[in-house]
Amino acid sequence: MIRVIIAVLLTVIILVVSLPFLGLQWLLQKRWPHFGERGAFRFMQFSFRTVSLPLGIKLDVIGRENIPTDRPCLFIGNHRSYLDVILGYPFLPPITGFVAKNDFTKVPVLPIWMRRLYCQFLVEGDLRQNLQSILAAIDNVNQGVSMVIYPEGKRSTGPDERELLEFHEGSFKIATKTKCPIVPVAVTGTRERFEAQFPRVRPGHVTIEFGKPIETAQMSREDLKGIGAKCRRIVMEMVEKNHSAEPER
């Protein structure tokens, strides 16, 4: 439990310390938009790395070479834990935003950072608001910003991490409307490290794998049908492989 307490204290300290930096970042972004955005992005990556240090996680990252560096993309993947974001964010390219549930808006200061980094929020049961968020994410990609979305729609809490929820096809409009590549991401071990024995953290291995990009630009309408199911199969294969490779699971 001491690991969680330290991580929470670090989070509070970072959020408080970041307040003056928010003002500085706002001024920088007004004068030098690109520099200001990158500064904010790097600060948040550093913050997530710092918060994860006391958790005792041994992180293996596979396939970083599959992340496009010359164009924006849509990252999609399975989602079982809050650690998915904390551990994965430092490896994303600048600038990358999230499509996230509006639960995060209840955390002081954090929503300001998220909005400045192109995050869009989903509200459960509010179809109109959620459509606007997806359209805003599409606009972000058209401006050169990569996006992350968890197409399961919520965290999967089942006992077997290899059993993914269905992927909502609407999540993939961010890619099909902008013709950007889709990068499948598979995360294994996060729920077992954290939520499975909360408030304790169980030290151990977590694997994040970035799959090969799926190019949508040249795909026909027929090929794009069921793209969510196709991506789900790819993620499931990576999860199965990495789950089997770790004996302590």
Side-chain angles (χ1 to χ4, degrees):
M1 186 172 178
I2 188 66
R3 295 178 184 273
V4 175
I5 293 174
I6 294 173
V8 171
L9 287 175
L10 283 172
T11 301
V12 172
I13 291 170
I14 289 170
L15 289 175
V16 172
V17 170
S18 74
L19 286 172
F21 188 72
L22 274 170
L24 176 61
Q25 188 269 334
W26 180 77
L27 291 173
L28 288 173
Q29 193 162 333
K30 288 197 69 167
R31 183 65 179 84
W32 301 286
H34 188 65
F35 179 77
E37 288 174 351
R38 282 181 174 264
F41 185 76
R42 295 304 187 194
F43 177 82
M44 290 308 298
Q45 287 185 313
F46 168 79
S47 299
F48 280 127
R49 283 194 179 99
T50 301
V51 169
S52 67
L53 284 176
L55 300 180
I57 303 296
K58 298 177 181 178
L59 183 61
D60 295 321
V61 182
I62 304 170
R64 292 183 67 181
E65 68 278 4
N66 292 324
I67 300 175
T69 58
D70 58 341
R71 54 200 164 138
C73 62
L74 174 68
F75 294 93
I76 62 95
N78 61 318
H79 188 30
R80 287 183 49 84
S81 170
Y82 289 116
L83 289 181
D84 298 341
V85 178
I86 294 172
L87 297 176
Y89 194 80
F91 300 97
L92 298 176
I95 304 294
T96 301
F98 274 76
V99 179
K101 281 193 170 183
N102 71 329
D103 295 353
F104 293 100
T105 60
K106 302 171 185 176
V107 181
V109 185
L110 183 60
I112 303 175
W113 280 107
M114 293 180 72
R115 289 190 176 96
R116 289 195 183 181
L117 291 171
Y118 296 94
C119 292
Q120 304 298 329
F121 296 100
L122 300 176
V123 180
E124 186 173 0
D126 192 334
L127 296 179
R128 184 174 181 180
Q129 171 59 44
N130 295 343
L131 175 59
Q132 291 300 315
S133 295
I134 294 297
L135 291 175
I138 290 172
D139 187 54
N140 287 347
V141 174
N142 285 329
Q143 294 181 53
V145 177
S146 294
M147 296 298 297
V148 178
I149 191 168
Y150 295 114
E152 291 172 291
K154 60 182 179 180
R155 285 177 295 143
S156 174
T157 59
D160 191 342
E161 66 181 352
R162 294 166 293 183
E163 296 180 0
L164 277 61
L165 302 176
E166 293 300 316
F167 279 16
H168 298 295
E169 295 288 338
S171 302
F172 294 85
K173 290 187 181 297
I174 299 170
T176 59
K177 295 295 185 182
T178 61
K179 304 299 182 183
C180 75
I182 299 170
V183 178
V185 184
V187 182
T188 54
T190 48
R191 188 170 187 82
E192 289 69 26
R193 304 279 79 78
F194 186 42
E195 280 88 347
Q197 61 276 314
F198 184 80
R200 296 185 297 112
V201 174
R202 177 186 172 196
H205 279 90
V206 166
T207 301
I208 300 175
E209 180 170 3
F210 295 93
K212 292 183 178 180
I214 301 168
E215 300 292 345
T216 63
Q218 305 303 322
M219 295 176 72
S220 65
R221 286 188 178 182
E222 191 64 30
D223 292 334
L224 289 173
K225 287 182 180 178
I227 188 67
K230 296 173 186 176
C231 289
R232 181 175 179 270
R233 286 195 296 270
I234 293 172
V235 173
M236 284 185 69
E237 289 172 1
M238 292 193 291
V239 169
E240 175 68 39
K241 178 192 67 174
N242 296 326
H243 176 94
S244 301
E246 181 54 62
E248 72 177 54
R249 297 207 209 289

